[in-house]
């Protein structure tokens, strides 16, 4: 599964996202991230192994991601 996240930057995003994936029993195979400091925006692309309910995963991610967000599986 490929997960793409785009949101306002804040401290702890990688930790929070990793915790949700771990709780869903998903293993991170590849992770790329970038912060646009001028716009204070965080970008992440993850490749994960495992099976999870995408609706529940989306709900959990949207609870922790800050405003101005885009999330897709």
């Amino acid at each position: 599964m490929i997960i793409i996240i785009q949101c306002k930057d804040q401290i702890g995003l990688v930790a929070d996202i990793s915790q949700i994936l771990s709780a869903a029993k998903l293993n991170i195979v590849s992770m790329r991230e970038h912060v646009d400091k001028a716009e204070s925006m965080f970008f992440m692309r993850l490749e994960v192994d495992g099976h999870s309910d995408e609706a529940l995963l989306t709900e959990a991610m949207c609870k922790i991601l800050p405003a101005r967000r885009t999330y897709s599986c």
Side-chain angles (χ1 to χ4, degrees):
M1 175 186 324
I2 303 294
I3 299 172
I4 298 178
I5 297 170
Q6 176 180 330
C7 62
K8 184 174 179 355
D9 189 33
Q10 73 179 29
I11 294 172
L13 281 173
V14 174
D16 291 344
I17 293 165
S18 297
Q19 187 173 36
I20 288 171
L21 296 174
S22 176
K25 305 284 190 242
L26 295 172
N27 184 43
I28 298 171
V29 176
S30 174
M31 178 175 73
R32 299 179 90 182
E33 60 182 287
H34 171 75
V35 174
D36 179 336
K37 290 184 181 182
E39 297 294 324
S40 188
M41 290 295 291
F42 174 81
F43 303 89
M44 178 182 264
R45 181 190 182 277
L46 296 140
E47 180 180 351
V48 298
D49 277 343
H51 300 286
S52 181
D53 182 320
E54 287 186 29
L56 291 176
L57 190 59
T58 298
E59 181 181 337
M61 288 289 187
C62 288
K63 285 182 181 178
I64 61 107
L65 295 176
R68 294 174 43 198
R69 68 177 174 257
T70 302
Y71 169 84
S72 65
C73 286

